[in-house]
Amino acid sequence: MDLVPIDADFVDRWPHPHPPSSSSALVDAEACDEEQLYFVPYRWWKDLDVVGKLPFARDRLVEMYFWILGVYEPHYILAIRNLTKVMWLTSIIDDMYDASNATIEELVLFNDAIQRWEVSALDQLPDYMKLVYQTVLDTFNIIEDEMAKQGRSYGVEYAKSALKDLVGVYCKEAKWYHEGYVPKLATKEAFDWVSSNPLIVQGSSVICRLIDDVVGHKPCATHVCLLWVAKGIEQRVSGYTKDRMIVHDTAVLGCPNMSQMTIDSVRTMGAEVAIVNTYPAGSRDVVNAYKTVGIAAFGPIWDS
């Protein structure tokens, strides 16, 4: 087995589902199938050196990686790699606004730089913010180049716009905290907005109604209705009331059209589902007949 250190060229890729957690980890290079590798931006993360240069930030690359695996299926390698980067950068920016020693003036400058999205904005930032800002610009440029090869670079502008909106909200929140301002929710404007029944309120109402119905539902007793078709059975039937039982004695009434008879019986009894118990061919015929008229039906494929 050929073990290589995690920082070798090979391991810009991590084999799923056990990504390495430190620079001392080893990977079996020969055992890894190239088509089954999950591409994770390890070298990009290592060069940024969050632990050393941004001690206030949570080092969450592995966590973000598994978050994104819950969004995309494994074969969407490019999407997993790029969204892991973006989510991790977002986490760093969030920590910068919440957990760093940055002044409110510095945080406002960073927001201004993000809104401008220009390299020249670097000059106005302190050194640790320059690192984050430059990484954001470089990362989005790389993503845009990769997407351009697929003719889909237009999507990057939407991602940039979303990040600008998010950082703008972070900055607004930081200003509120700095000023000691606690926003009031129960304002006239808020009530007017809710009263207009926006889509988010409509959707929330539907979800709440469904949750209420699920929690409050009390299952009722199951009522079983019986259709029994056989020879000489009239005298042997017991245990069922007549309104829930149909008996067809073939010795007296002859052989019926089973498919049509069972469909009529289900409708007469108001049943929600039918369980068919007969010989295999008959079971298939009856179940298929139910399906053609939209009745849920189940039946064995053997004679029980």
Side-chain angles (χ1 to χ4, degrees), residues 5 12 43 81 103 120-121 146 148 166 260:
D12 250 352
R43 185 173 298 283
R81 182 184 182 92
T103 65
S120 59
E146 292 174 336
L166 182 62
Q260 189 59 52

Side-chain angles (χ1 to χ4, degrees), residues 198-299:
L199 286 176
I200 191 171
V201 173
Q202 296 177 36
S204 299
S205 299
V206 172
I207 293 172
C208 289
R209 171 60 190 275
L210 293 175
I211 293 175
D212 181 69
D213 288 347
V214 170
V215 173
H217 175 67
K218 295 181 180 179
C220 61
T222 301
H223 298 298
V224 178
C225 304
L226 175 66
L227 167 63
W228 195 346
V229 179
K231 182 178 180 179
I233 60 171
E234 183 72 37
Q235 68 276 18
R236 295 187 285 117
V237 175
S238 63
Y240 289 90
T241 58
K242 290 185 177 180
D243 62 332
R244 294 181 187 166
M245 177 180 62
I246 298 175
V247 175
H248 185 98
D249 192 334
T250 57
V252 178
L253 302 173
C255 294
N257 180 327
M258 285 297 299
S259 295
Q260 189 59 52
M261 183 178 185
T262 54
I263 290 173
D264 293 341
S265 298
V266 166
R267 289 171 173 169
T268 299
M269 297 174 179
E272 296 181 2
V273 65
I275 308 297
V276 182
N277 185 8
T278 184
Y279 61 96
S283 178
R284 283 191 291 269
D285 290 344
V286 174
V287 170
N288 288 335
Y290 279 128
K291 289 181 179 179
T292 61
V293 295
I295 297 175
F298 304 90

Side-chain angles (χ1 to χ4, degrees), residues 8 13-14 29 32-33 46 53 67 69 83 104 142 145 147 161 174 181 183 191 196 228 259 268-269 272 289 295:
R13 311 167 179 88
W14 285 348
C32 294
D33 183 347
K46 184 179 179 182
K53 298 177 181 177
W67 272 29
L69 282 183
L83 195 51
I104 186 62
I142 292 172
D145 290 342
M147 298 305 294
S161 178
Y181 171 70
F191 281 114
S196 68
W228 195 346
S259 295
T268 299
M269 297 174 179
E272 296 181 2
I295 297 175

Side-chain angles (χ1 to χ4, degrees), residues 155-188:
V156 179
E157 289 303 317
Y158 294 98
K160 290 179 182 178
S161 178
L163 185 60
K164 289 179 180 180
D165 291 343
L166 182 62
V167 175
V169 172
Y170 285 161
C171 188
K172 185 175 184 179
E173 183 183 37
K175 288 180 180 178
W176 284 352
Y177 177 78
H178 179 73
E179 297 167 358
Y181 171 70
V182 179
K184 296 179 180 179
L185 297 179
T187 62
K188 182 179 184 303

Side-chain angles (χ1 to χ4, degrees), residues 1-42:
M1 180 171 64
D2 181 17
L3 292 176
V4 295
I6 193 63
D7 57 353
D9 290 340
F10 165 79
V11 290
D12 250 352
R13 311 167 179 88
W14 285 348
H16 181 73
H18 302 295
S21 58
S22 71
S23 59
S24 62
L26 298 176
V27 173
D28 181 1
E30 293 182 350
C32 294
D33 183 347
E34 189 74 13
E35 294 183 357
Q36 296 177 348
L37 292 177
Y38 284 61
F39 287 66
V40 177
Y42 172 77

